[in-house]
Amino acid sequence: MRAQRVWKVNGAASIGQLQSRLDDLNKRLGQLENQHPDSWTLEELRSSALSLSREIDDIRCAEATAALSELLRK
């Protein structure tokens, strides 16, 4: 079974919003791990957390690349 994304993220969402969602997801993961360590939902939540963290990284890298390009252009 393929894991599905739990959070639908708007492309214009800020890093702060994404980070807040990731923090909430990680909190929920911790609760679920304590209550139901064998739950199939854990893998789906982990997959969603990884996707969300990759999206945050992609945005940060794009911002850094844009800033570097601007510096090099000067």
Side-chain angles (χ1 to χ4, degrees):
M1 175 194 272
R2 187 167 186 249
Q4 294 180 348
R5 175 182 246 162
V6 173
W7 298 104
K8 294 197 184 278
V9 178
N10 180 348
S14 73
I15 290 177
Q17 291 169 324
L18 294 174
Q19 188 64 53
S20 177
R21 289 180 179 178
L22 182 58
D23 293 343
D24 291 343
L25 186 55
N26 284 328
K27 182 179 177 182
R28 178 68 181 128
L29 264 170
Q31 292 170 343
L32 193 58
E33 285 172 341
N34 289 332
Q35 295 170 356
H36 308 285
D38 297 328
S39 174
W40 60 270
T41 308
L42 282 173
E43 281 308 310
E44 289 184 15
L45 290 174
R46 286 181 185 131
S47 177
S48 295
L50 286 172
S51 294
L52 195 53
S53 65
R54 284 187 196 111
E55 190 164 348
I56 292 168
D57 287 345
D58 288 345
I59 293 170
R60 286 183 176 150
C61 287
E63 288 175 349
T65 300
L68 180 59
S69 294
E70 184 63 28
L71 284 174
L72 293 174
R73 197 169 54 95
K74 291 181 179 181

